[in-house]
Amino acid sequence: SCENCDKMRKSYERWETYDNRYQKWFDIRMSDITWVDGSRVALCNITDITTDKKYEKRIEFQANNDFLTGLYNRMRCESDIYEAVERAKAEDEKGYMMFLDLDDFKHINDGLGHQHGDMLLKMISMGLQQIEGITDSCYRVGGDEFVILVLPENKHRLKAIVQEIYEMFNTPWMLNGAEYYSTMSMGIVCYPDDGEEVNELIKRADIAMYDAKKAGKNTVRYYNAKDERTSIKRLDVEKNMRSAIAVGGMEFELYIQPI
């Protein structure tokens, strides 16, 4: 009877539920009302909200995922890094973050066309998601830049993850009916040892990645605080040179050495 119904203990209650039989979402609202004969009854309104749920899920996907590869985007990446660092600090644990950049990706785009460059990014994304320990923690944060988060519970697989990434890039990719190789350079930081702030960790992983490129590309470098000043100076010089070239090179002065 209504008197014994748990839902009748409150004058009004509302919740959402998924019904596997119909594969639909329902919004259920129950109100405590007085019937015509004076008895207390529960009025139950059930509304099919499946369409609304699908729309919400699509909006959530667009907000958190990269439209091309389906990987999480930079906004979701920064949020997940923050949560991972806070959890590692609370549990006195360590984790790792990898910053991966493709070597000479521009040659693929220029030589084969952007459609094949996009196809390569998709194949790389699918490959990363198949590696145990990072299945749900891969992010595309730029054109050909990826971040990989290794949570504390998977830190024991760090070397194996790095090795599997190496092997993936040492295998040719089938593009436009032919095999092409695309290598990568990667920088790795340990959190919270190498930093506790999101931007700080990304910056230091980026520095380690540039050190890997300087070493000849197709390699991995761990962040080293001793090398940071030199790396930052080199990045600043590169940034300033790119900016000067973008405005016509007016900031350069030409000096000729007679021979």
Side-chain angles (χ1 to χ4, degrees):
S1 65
C2 291
E3 287 77 8
N4 297 324
C5 179
D6 291 338
K7 303 300 180 184
M8 289 299 295
R9 295 176 182 176
K10 298 180 181 179
S11 59
Y12 178 82
E13 188 163 346
R14 177 182 179 181
W15 70 97
E16 296 176 354
T17 186
Y18 182 78
D19 194 311
N20 286 314
R21 295 171 300 175
Y22 302 102
Q23 296 185 347
K24 290 185 176 182
W25 280 92
F26 295 99
D27 176 78
I28 301 176
R29 307 183 188 189
M30 297 194 71
S31 303
D32 179 10
I33 65 172
T34 302
W35 196 237
V36 291
D37 60 359
S39 60
R40 291 181 61 222
V41 297
L43 177 63
C44 181
N45 293 304
I46 302 176
T47 306
D48 184 350
I49 58 170
T50 305
T51 301
D52 294 339
K53 278 293 183 180
K54 288 182 178 179
Y55 178 75
E56 290 175 6
K57 189 174 182 179
R58 185 166 66 251
I59 293 298
E60 181 181 357
F61 181 86
Q62 292 173 347
N64 289 282
N65 294 73
D66 171 56
F67 74 96
L68 176 65
T69 64
L71 295 181
Y72 291 132
N73 58 23
R74 189 181 189 94
M75 183 176 70
R76 176 62 181 268
C77 174
E78 294 179 356
S79 174
D80 286 356
I81 292 174
Y82 174 81
E83 292 183 4
V85 172
E86 291 301 308
R87 184 160 68 90
K89 287 162 55 180
E91 298 174 357
D92 194 24
E93 280 281 4
K94 295 180 182 180
Y96 294 88
M97 190 193 76
M98 306 171 176
F99 194 101
L100 186 154
D101 181 88
L102 303 188
D103 296 328
D104 302 321
F105 179 66
K106 185 175 183 296
H107 296 331
I108 297 290
N109 273 337
D110 293 346
L112 298 178
H114 288 277
Q115 70 273 25
H116 293 291
D118 289 348
M119 186 179 298
L120 175 61
L121 293 174
K122 291 179 182 178
M123 289 190 290
I124 290 171
S125 301
M126 292 176 62
L128 291 174
Q129 288 179 300
Q130 293 175 7
I131 297 176
E132 181 184 349
I134 59 172
T135 303
D136 296 319
S137 55
C138 300
Y139 312 82
R140 184 187 179 209
V141 297
D144 60 342
E145 296 174 337
F146 299 85
V147 165
I148 300 165
L149 199 58
V150 180
L151 300 176
E153 56 265 32
N154 295 317
K155 66 180 181 181
H156 65 282
R157 292 206 78 251
L158 178 64
K159 290 183 179 180
I161 291 171
V162 172
Q163 183 60 36
E164 289 186 48
I165 293 175
Y166 258 131
E167 292 174 359
M168 185 176 76
F169 280 92
N170 283 331
T171 303
W173 308 93
M174 184 62 68
L175 298 170
N176 198 27
E179 293 183 344
Y180 291 88
Y181 284 89
S182 176
T183 60
M184 62 83 200
S185 297
M186 185 164 63
I188 302 177
V189 293
C190 174
Y191 63 85
D193 290 3
D194 292 331
E196 299 182 3
E197 299 293 330
V198 174
N199 291 332
E200 182 181 39
L201 284 169
I202 293 177
K203 172 186 174 183
R204 289 177 174 174
D206 193 22
I207 289 173
M209 183 272 294
Y210 270 98
D211 286 339
K213 285 190 179 293
K214 184 182 177 184
K217 303 180 181 179
N218 193 29
T219 189
V220 174
R221 285 290 184 272
Y222 288 81
Y223 170 76
N224 187 340
K226 294 180 181 179
D227 298 333
E228 181 172 2
R229 180 176 297 181
T230 302
S231 298
I232 290 177
K233 182 178 180 180
R234 188 179 71 253
L235 290 175
D236 285 342
V237 170
E238 180 180 335
K239 176 179 178 295
N240 291 335
M241 289 181 67
R242 289 180 182 274
S243 298
I245 293 171
V247 295
M250 298 300 294
E251 297 181 22
F252 289 98
E253 294 183 11
L254 178 63
Y255 293 86
I256 299 176
Q257 175 67 49
I259 300 177

